[in-house]
Amino acid sequence: LFHLEHTHLLTLGVGLGCLATLLILRRFAKHWPYYLIVAIAAMLVAWLADLEGRGVAVVGEVERGLPRPHLPSFELDSAIALLPGAVSIVVIGYASSMSVVRAMAKIDDRIDPDRELFAFAAANLASGLSGSFPVSSGMARSAVAADAGVRTRLAGVFVAGFMLVVLLVAGPLFRWLPQPYLAAVVMLAASSLIDVASVRTLFRTKQSDGFVALLTFVATLAIGLELGLLVGVGTALLFFV
C-alpha cells in the first residue's frame, strides 16, 4: 500500500484482465484447465504485443539444467553475519508453514508440529546443498493447489516431475509469461482462504485472539508478509506469554 504512486497502469491492466478472465472461467467453466488456458493466452498476448518492451515484467529466460549438489563454503565471519537473518528465516518460515497447515487442514486432520518442523529443517538442509532459496510452505501455492482440486500429497510428485521437464526441456516456453498473470493467480487462489466467519468467532470467544488475527492481517497488507508475521507473532507473545 505504500507504493501505490509507482503503479504501472499497463501492468495493472494486464493483471486485472487476467484476474477477470480467471474469475469468469472459474464461474462458467470450472472443469476446464482455466489456469493453463489463461497462461497460454497471456504468453501469446505478451509476445504479440511486446508487453515487455512496454514495461510489463515477464518471467524471462529460464536456464536449462539441474543444479549440482555441493557443500557450501564455511567462513566464521560470514556465519556470524548471517546468523540474525537465519534466525528470522527459521521463525518466520516455520510460523508461515504452520499457518498454511492450519488453514488447509480439514476438521478431522491431526496436525503434528514436530513433524512439520522436521520436514521444514530437512527441506532447508537440501536447499543449502543445492544452492536454492530457503524453503517454506507457501500460502499462495497451497491455495492454488487446493483451488485446482488437489486432494492428496501425490500432487507434489506430479508437480516435481513437471518442474523437471520445465528445467530440462520446456523452460524457454515460459519466456513471455507476464508476471501480472502470476499475481492474478495468487490473488484468486488466496481469496478462498479468507475466512471472515472464523475471525468473528474469535472475537466472540476470545477477543485477544481476534485482535491478533486482525492486526496480523492489516500489518501484512500494509507492510508486507515478513514484517506482518513478525508483528503478529510479537503481539501474540505479548498477550499469551
Side-chain angles (χ1 to χ4, degrees), residues 11 14-15 18 42 46 56-60 176-186:
T11 298
V14 172
C18 291
V56 177
V58 297
V59 169
W176 291 99
L177 184 65
Q179 291 190 19
Y181 163 79
L182 302 178
V185 169
V186 171

Side-chain angles (χ1 to χ4, degrees), residues 151-163:
R151 294 293 179 268
T152 70
R153 287 171 289 185
L154 187 61
V157 177
F158 287 98
V159 171
F162 180 73
M163 291 304 300

Side-chain angles (χ1 to χ4, degrees), residues 160-179:
F162 180 73
M163 291 304 300
L164 284 174
V165 172
V166 170
L167 288 173
L168 294 175
V169 180
L173 295 178
F174 294 89
R175 164 72 175 82
W176 291 99
L177 184 65
Q179 291 190 19

Side-chain angles (χ1 to χ4, degrees), residues 3-207:
H3 305 285
L4 291 178
E5 68 275 9
H6 301 301
T7 300
H8 187 264
L9 294 180
L10 182 56
T11 298
L12 177 63
V14 172
L16 291 176
C18 291
L19 182 60
T21 306
L22 287 170
L23 284 169
I24 292 171
L25 290 178
R26 187 170 73 169
R27 175 67 177 84
F28 297 103
K30 190 171 184 179
H31 299 293
W32 291 12
Y34 50 89
Y35 284 120
L36 180 60
I37 292 172
V38 178
I40 293 174
M43 285 190 286
L44 287 174
V45 171
W47 175 56
L48 293 173
D50 189 23
L51 292 183
E52 184 180 21
R54 298 170 183 265
V56 177
V58 297
V59 169
E61 297 294 337
V62 178
E63 294 185 6
R64 295 183 181 181
L66 299 176
R68 294 182 179 180
H70 65 279
L71 290 175
S73 61
F74 179 83
E75 297 179 0
L76 183 59
D77 293 340
S78 298
I80 294 174
L82 292 172
L83 184 60
V87 172
S88 299
I89 289 173
V90 170
V91 174
I92 295 175
Y94 182 61
S96 175
S97 295
M98 288 306 300
S99 299
V100 173
V101 170
R102 296 186 184 280
M104 305 301 296
K106 299 178 182 178
I107 296 176
D108 56 347
D109 286 341
R110 186 175 67 87
I111 299 174
D112 189 340
D114 291 336
R115 293 184 66 180
E116 294 294 332
L117 182 60
F118 178 80
F120 177 66
N124 276 284
L125 179 62
S127 73
L129 296 175
S130 60
S132 65
F133 288 107
V135 179
S136 177
S137 298
M139 183 68 76
R141 295 189 300 273
S142 300
V144 169
D147 191 57
V150 168
R151 294 293 179 268
T152 70
R153 287 171 289 185
L154 187 61
V157 177
F158 287 98
V159 171
F162 180 73
M163 291 304 300
L164 284 174
V165 172
V166 170
L167 288 173
L168 294 175
V169 180
L173 295 178
F174 294 89
R175 164 72 175 82
W176 291 99
L177 184 65
Q179 291 190 19
Y181 163 79
L182 302 178
V185 169
V186 171
M187 291 177 63
L188 178 63
S191 64
S192 62
L193 298 177
I194 299 176
D195 191 350
V196 178
S198 295
V199 177
R200 290 175 179 170
T201 301
L202 285 176
F203 274 107
R204 287 197 299 266
T205 57
K206 192 174 182 181
Q207 288 189 349

